[in-house]
């Protein structure tokens, strides 16, 4: 995936979500991009992608703390809502759409 494809994926998913504001690029280099998406009444999501390494990471942040996350450092895993310091392995990649769906489910539940 290219940086442009990652950015486009994040923007399209965020714009289609009822909980997300418009993504803002926090940092962009020739090999990596980091976007921030404000999440209404919760906090924000940081989405990161490095094209050279294929590293992808998503984190939902509330009051300066990660409350949910997913990344592929050392293989795909999530940091669940119940225990965001834990690493729960995933068999397949998590797209930004998958990540937002999980956040939306948790917010509806709560």
């Amino acid at each position: 995936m290219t940086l442009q494809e990652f950015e486009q994926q994040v923007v399209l998913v965020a714009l289609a979500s009822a909980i997300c504001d418009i993504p803002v690029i926090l940092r962009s280099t020739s090999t990596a991009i980091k976007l921030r998406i404000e999440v209404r009444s919760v906090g924000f999501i940081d989405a990161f992608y490095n094209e050279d390494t294929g590293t992808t990471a998503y984190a939902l942040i509330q009051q300066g703390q990660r409350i949910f996350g997913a990344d592929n450092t050392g293989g795909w895993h999530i940091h669940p809502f119940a225990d965001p310091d834990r690493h729960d392995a995933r068999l397949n990649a998590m797209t930004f759409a998958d990540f937002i769906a999980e956040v939306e489910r948790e917010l509806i539940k709560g």
Side-chain angles (χ1 to χ4, degrees):
M1 175 180 342
T2 67
L3 295 176
Q4 183 179 3
E5 289 168 338
F6 179 80
E7 179 184 356
Q8 184 177 37
Q9 178 188 94
V10 169
V11 169
L12 290 174
V13 170
L15 293 177
S17 171
I19 65 166
C20 294
D21 287 337
I22 298 169
V24 174
I25 297 172
L26 290 183
R27 185 178 63 228
S28 181
T29 68
S30 61
T31 60
I33 189 167
K34 182 177 182 180
L35 298 108
R36 177 161 292 170
I37 305 96
E38 296 292 328
V39 178
R40 296 184 185 111
S41 73
V42 175
F44 62 86
I45 293 170
D46 279 345
F48 171 82
Y49 178 66
N50 182 307
E51 189 173 7
D52 281 351
T53 64
T55 302
T56 305
Y58 313 114
L60 175 60
I61 309 295
Q62 185 178 55
Q63 298 176 351
Q65 299 290 320
R66 178 182 63 202
I67 61 169
F68 178 62
D71 64 78
N72 66 351
T73 304
W76 272 102
H77 60 275
I78 64 166
H79 304 274
F81 281 99
D83 184 3
D85 290 330
R86 198 172 72 213
H87 291 73
D88 290 351
R90 280 182 57 96
L91 294 177
N92 43 10
M94 179 174 262
T95 66
F96 189 67
D98 297 334
F99 187 80
I100 290 297
E102 289 290 328
V103 172
E104 289 173 340
R105 271 192 291 279
E106 183 69 18
L107 293 180
I108 289 169
K109 216 171 65 172

